[in-house]
Amino acid sequence: MLRLLILGAHPDDADYHAGGLASIYRALGHAVRMVSMTNGSAGHHEKPRDEVAVIRRQEAAAAGQVIGAPYEVWDYPDGELTAGLEVRWRVIREIRRFAPDLVLTHRPYDYHPDHRAAGQAVQDASFLVTVPHVVPDVPALRRDPVVAYLPDLFTKPVPLEAHVVLDITDRIDTVVRMLACHRSQVFEWLPYLAGALDQVPGDEADRLAWLRAWYIQQIRPRADRFRQELVAAYGPQRGAQIELAEVFEISQYGAPLDEPTRARLFPFVPRP
């Protein structure tokens, strides 16, 4: 059994960026654990922060239940995450206790400071999880996990490199059901930011259809950006037709993704 740990900055980051991979792992009987490193409390335009924090924790737990995976929300305030020693030590403890084969997190190049801090904290912890004298209250790992970055389209200072590309077309409805659990986020806060609150349907079935269309629109540019890699992995015909994809860059700070490890972690992704 493989073990996948997703360390996102906010509730819904794990499922938004890697819900397809997480759902595939669970369908294959592997262990998946999702973590939000902040409490999500800044993500609302009306509700007070303490109320939002409670709501976001409940919503994350419900999203994890869709695929049968725990979804933990830490208490660091939303919008205030820093890659300091306390956060680094907590990340080290989290990785050691779960002992994942694969860790996913944000790249340190992102629009949101919490995303950058989360990525930096995981980078800083990647080697130290094997060092016994660092955070000695939890036994050190004997080997590093593979660490990979969640997909993004940012290009400065460097664009994401597509080391692993995954067609998630047949996982989209599962991911949307996960995202729909984050009700205060996808039906309230994000539409407010986009000036589209009046476009959110009131009927539950219509809301799900609306969210599905919104999510597809949001992630479709990934496949366009990494079309060459999709064609290389899936072949010219299928690769040219894929519209919905997840893309991961392997960090140099964790274990290398050699061919045997790739085959073990991603047996469902074809190789050229």
Side-chain angles (χ1 to χ4, degrees):
M1 182 178 70
L2 298 173
R3 302 175 70 80
L4 169 64
L5 174 63
I6 309 176
L7 292 167
H10 306 105
D12 81 276
D13 279 342
D15 16 358
Y16 180 92
H17 294 291
L21 179 62
S23 67
I24 291 172
Y25 261 54
R26 288 297 300 130
L28 294 173
H30 300 313
V32 173
R33 178 173 172 79
M34 296 177 284
V35 173
S36 170
M37 294 169 66
T38 77
N39 61 10
S41 62
H44 210 275
H45 51 295
E46 294 176 339
K47 296 180 175 69
R49 288 187 72 132
D50 56 348
E51 181 180 341
V52 175
V54 173
I55 291 171
R56 297 305 304 277
R57 179 171 282 107
Q58 295 169 343
E59 292 173 342
Q65 289 173 4
V66 171
I67 60 170
Y71 203 141
E72 183 178 353
V73 177
W74 292 353
D75 292 325
Y76 297 110
D78 187 1
E80 301 177 21
L81 189 67
T82 59
L85 282 177
E86 180 186 347
V87 174
R88 184 193 305 171
W89 292 339
R90 186 159 186 178
V91 169
I92 290 171
R93 292 186 177 97
E94 181 68 39
I95 293 174
R96 286 178 176 174
R97 286 169 178 157
F98 188 65
D101 298 279
L102 175 63
V103 176
L104 302 180
T105 192
H106 306 278
R107 284 201 307 157
Y109 317 123
D110 198 292
Y111 80 103
H112 201 301
D114 288 346
H115 292 189
R116 296 196 298 270
Q120 188 65 57
V122 175
Q123 263 193 11
D124 294 344
S126 294
F127 165 69
L128 296 178
V129 297
T130 65
V131 180
H133 284 315
V134 176
V135 194
D137 55 296
V138 182
L141 299 181
R142 293 295 297 156
R143 62 175 181 84
D144 288 311
V146 173
V147 178
Y149 298 123
L150 297 165
D152 68 67
L153 299 178
F154 299 107
T155 59
K156 300 295 180 65
V158 292
L160 180 137
E161 296 183 27
H163 296 142
V164 177
V165 291
L166 175 63
D167 180 3
I168 64 163
T169 304
D170 63 349
R171 312 307 304 177
I172 186 66
D173 290 325
T174 300
V175 177
V176 169
R177 285 193 291 119
M178 295 173 72
L179 290 173
C181 294
H182 302 279
R183 301 179 66 85
S184 65
Q185 176 83 347
V186 300
F187 298 131
E188 298 173 14
W189 173 236
L190 294 182
Y192 165 79
L193 287 177
L197 268 175
D198 59 339
Q199 299 176 21
V200 180
D203 178 78
E204 199 63 31
D206 291 342
R207 279 189 165 198
L208 202 62
W210 177 87
L211 177 61
R212 189 181 192 277
W214 173 85
Y215 181 61
I216 289 174
Q217 182 182 38
Q218 295 298 307
I219 69 167
R220 185 176 280 131
R222 293 177 188 165
D224 294 334
R225 170 74 68 82
F226 300 105
R227 182 66 59 195
Q228 181 176 344
E229 290 83 358
L230 287 167
V231 168
Y234 288 91
Q237 183 173 355
R238 181 177 173 184
Q241 296 174 348
I242 293 171
E243 293 188 5
L244 307 175
E246 289 176 353
V247 183
F248 307 103
E249 176 182 329
I250 304 303
S251 169
Q252 294 179 307
Y253 304 114
L257 188 71
D258 54 25
E259 286 306 315
T261 304
R262 179 188 290 271
R264 185 169 60 90
L265 296 182
F266 304 102
F268 37 81
V269 178
R271 291 290 293 150

